[in-house]
């Protein structure tokens, strides 16, 4: 028997008041006059309907991220960087979200991973009076937005758990405006704030925990400039476990005597697929055939910041220790990042980068559906007298056509090459050696401070702690490291199945 189709639902009123009704309009006008609708205008400018019945959490988050003008740092479609539900594929696979929705804790985790500042509270961790204060605070500003997790049954609506942003507040009536992202079902509507609290103060059957609300705003700093963690690869959990659990145990069990021993313990046992776990944050664009060196001011600005972070990283003592470790023949052979001396693998790197870039431009994650087989190469040039720029270029071919892709990458040169690579090669300065040194240095800095406590030799322990301390790092580098550390902490909570409980735990 075929399932009957549905065209919207009648909004139960009371308790809700339709935003577009006469009473709803009057509430809106009064709230505007009282100044508690400031957040509404940004949200309504980016209002969207969830594209899947179970995507309410993703649609709510995408709407808020776009309203806050948070740059996702990667392409959506064409040349545009934009948050869409399909872009929110971290923390929980999209197919799983499509089937069963997303939990409150996983949505909080996803908001963090997307570069937002998040303060989350279950009803067991807050009060209705606190909630009202937060709603008023965000409603009188366009720099903060509230996403509520509630049970529809409290409002006599069909369905169960649901996410939607709160668009405003009417102080006189003590009512909140819910911008329901399931617009195919119910329109935006006003509800009594105390009743909304009751709807949130219900138990989510999947987690066994109360629902709640989250406050989302912009970070004071920019998201990652150079590196970001990926939890899309099937083995990301085992890799995260290696860093947060196995490395401290290894350092505790091994009798390390010097810095080289410490690096050997950590780097010689790096898990498979580690390169896919930590990704470069790159600038990807379609190739402009008439002038492929014409960079926008925005591109120049971001590249300059990346160059500065690389420069700062190469000037710290830890970078020199990593460099010395990787320069030894024995260490190079053990490290999964390196190849044999006679193997020319830069074309492979360029091809892989181009394929990934084409995937981003086409909205497809990964590069398996593309084949970079024409004109793949690396260019090195100056732009208007500013710092040198490295551009990996290629023509990407798939079954339906081809596409020219340029990927802009940081171009700081390394004084030492690993395993015999020549730093003066005519392919420019995009070298695996420099990539390895910077990546591993960033990783070691980002490991949680307690990682090193297992080192038995007190003098060595103090030396290591001094090398990995973030307190005296330059600002840009410190922010990059703390971002990576925060991501590791989030993944640690996922591995330990604590993402639902540790909502308020500090990331750094």
């Amino acid at each position: 028997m075929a399932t009957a189709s549905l065209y919207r639902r009648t909004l139960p009123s009371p308790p809700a008041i339709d935003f577009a009704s006469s009473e709803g309009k009057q509430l809106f006008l009064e709230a505007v006059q009282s100044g508690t609708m400031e957040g509404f205008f940004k949200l309504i400018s980016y209002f969207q309907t969830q594209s899947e019945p179970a995507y309410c959490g993703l649609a709510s988050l995408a709407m808020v991220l776009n309203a806050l003008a948070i740059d996702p740092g990667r392409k959506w479609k064409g040349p545009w960087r934009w948050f869409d539900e399909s872009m929110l594929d971290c923390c929980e696979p999209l197919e799983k979200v499509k089937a069963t929705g997303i939990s409150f804790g996983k949505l909080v985790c996803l908001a963090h991973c997307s570069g937002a500042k998040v303060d989350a509270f279950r009803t067991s961790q807050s009060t209705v009076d606190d909630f009202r204060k937060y709603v008023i605070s965000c409603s009188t500003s366009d720099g903060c937005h509230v996403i509520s997790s509630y049970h529809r049954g409290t409002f006599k609506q069909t369905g169960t758990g649901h996410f939607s942003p709160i668009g405003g507040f009417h102080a006189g009536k003590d009512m909140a405006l819910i911008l329901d992202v399931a617009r195919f079902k119910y329109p935006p509507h006003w509800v009594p704030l105390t009743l909304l609290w009751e709807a949130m103060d219900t138990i989510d059957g999947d987690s066994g925990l109360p629902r709640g609300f989250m406050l989302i705003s912009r970070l004071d700093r920019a998201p990652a400039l150079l590196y970001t963690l990926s939890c899309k690869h099937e083995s990301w959990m085992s890799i995260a476990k290696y860093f947060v659990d196995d490395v401290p145990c290894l350092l505790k069990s091994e009798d390390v005597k010097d810095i080289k021993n410490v690096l050997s313990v950590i780097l010689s046992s790096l898990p498979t697929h580690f390169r896919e776990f930590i990704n470069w944050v790159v600038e990807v664009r379609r190739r402009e055939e008439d002038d492929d060196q014409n960079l926008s001011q925005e591109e120049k600005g971001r590249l300059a910041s990346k160059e500065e972070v690389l420069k700062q990283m190469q000037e710290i003592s830890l970078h020199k220790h990593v460099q010395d470790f990787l320069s030894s023949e024995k260490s190079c052979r053990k490290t999964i990042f390196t190849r044999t001396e006679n193997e020319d693998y830069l074309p492979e790197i360029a091809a892989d980068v181009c394929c990934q870039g084409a995937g981003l431009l086409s909205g497809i994650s990964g590069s398996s559906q593309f084949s970079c087989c024409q004109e793949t190469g690396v260019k090195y040039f100056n732009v208007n007298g500013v710092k040198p720029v490295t551009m990996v270029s290629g023509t990407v071919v798939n079954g339906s056509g081809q596409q020219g892709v340029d990927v802009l990458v940081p171009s700081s040169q390394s004084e030492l090459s690993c395993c015999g690579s020549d730093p003066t090669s005519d392919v420019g300065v995009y070298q695996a050696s420099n990539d390895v040194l910077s990546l591993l240095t960033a990783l070691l800095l980002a490991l949680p401070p307690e990682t090193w406590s297992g080192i038995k030799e007190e003098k060595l322990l103090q030396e290591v702690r001094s090398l990995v301390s973030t307190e005296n790092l330059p600002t840009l580098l410190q922010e990059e490291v703390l971002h990576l550390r925060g991501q590791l902490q989030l993944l640690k909570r996922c591995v330990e199945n604590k993402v639902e409980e540790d909502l308020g735990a500090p990331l750094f």
Side-chain angles (χ1 to χ4, degrees), residues 363-380:
I364 300 174
S365 178
S367 58
S368 60
Q369 301 187 38
F370 296 91
S371 174
C372 297
C373 59
Q374 300 178 25
E375 304 175 31
T376 301
V378 181
K379 301 177 183 179
Y380 175 51

Side-chain angles (χ1 to χ4, degrees), residues 77-229:
K77 293 181 180 179
W80 303 106
R81 296 193 305 277
W82 179 258
F83 276 109
D84 177 73
E85 294 156 313
S86 63
M87 301 277 286
L88 300 174
D89 51 0
C90 183
C91 302
E92 195 81 297
L94 286 177
E95 285 303 311
K96 184 176 180 181
V97 178
K98 185 177 179 180
T100 62
I102 191 169
S103 69
F104 186 75
K106 287 289 179 68
L107 191 65
V108 171
C109 179
L110 186 52
H112 279 297
C113 289
S114 300
K117 178 181 178 182
V118 190
D119 294 299
F121 306 89
R122 295 190 185 277
T123 53
S124 57
Q125 301 166 322
S126 186
T127 67
V128 64
D129 291 331
D130 289 334
F131 176 56
R132 182 181 292 105
K133 291 176 183 177
Y134 287 129
V135 169
I136 293 173
S137 177
C138 288
S139 296
T140 54
S141 166
D142 61 8
C144 170
H145 299 291
V146 180
I147 293 179
S148 173
S149 171
Y150 59 95
H151 196 289
R152 283 191 180 277
T154 307
F155 302 127
K156 302 179 182 178
Q157 299 172 3
T158 62
T160 54
H162 190 57
F163 289 97
S164 279
I166 295 177
F169 179 71
H170 190 292
K173 300 288 187 180
D174 196 32
M175 300 189 82
L177 175 62
I178 295 179
L179 297 180
D180 198 327
V181 292
R183 288 191 290 178
F184 52 83
K185 189 174 184 180
Y186 294 117
H189 47 275
W190 295 92
V191 296
L193 184 135
T194 52
L195 193 61
L196 175 56
W197 176 263
E198 291 180 20
M200 293 191 301
D201 194 23
T202 52
I203 301 299
D204 174 18
D206 292 331
S207 68
L209 296 168
R211 295 180 170 87
F213 61 98
M214 61 190 79
L215 316 174
I216 301 181
S217 56
R218 288 180 62 95
L219 289 169
D220 295 331
R221 55 177 175 78
L225 290 171
L226 288 180
Y227 304 111
T228 186
L229 301 188

Side-chain angles (χ1 to χ4, degrees), residues 71 99 167 201 219 239 242 259 274-275 278 282 371 382 415 451:
D71 190 337
D201 194 23
L219 289 169
I239 300 174
Y242 174 77
I259 298 298
F274 175 62
R275 294 188 75 163
I278 297 188
V282 296
S371 174
N382 290 312
E415 296 178 0
T451 298

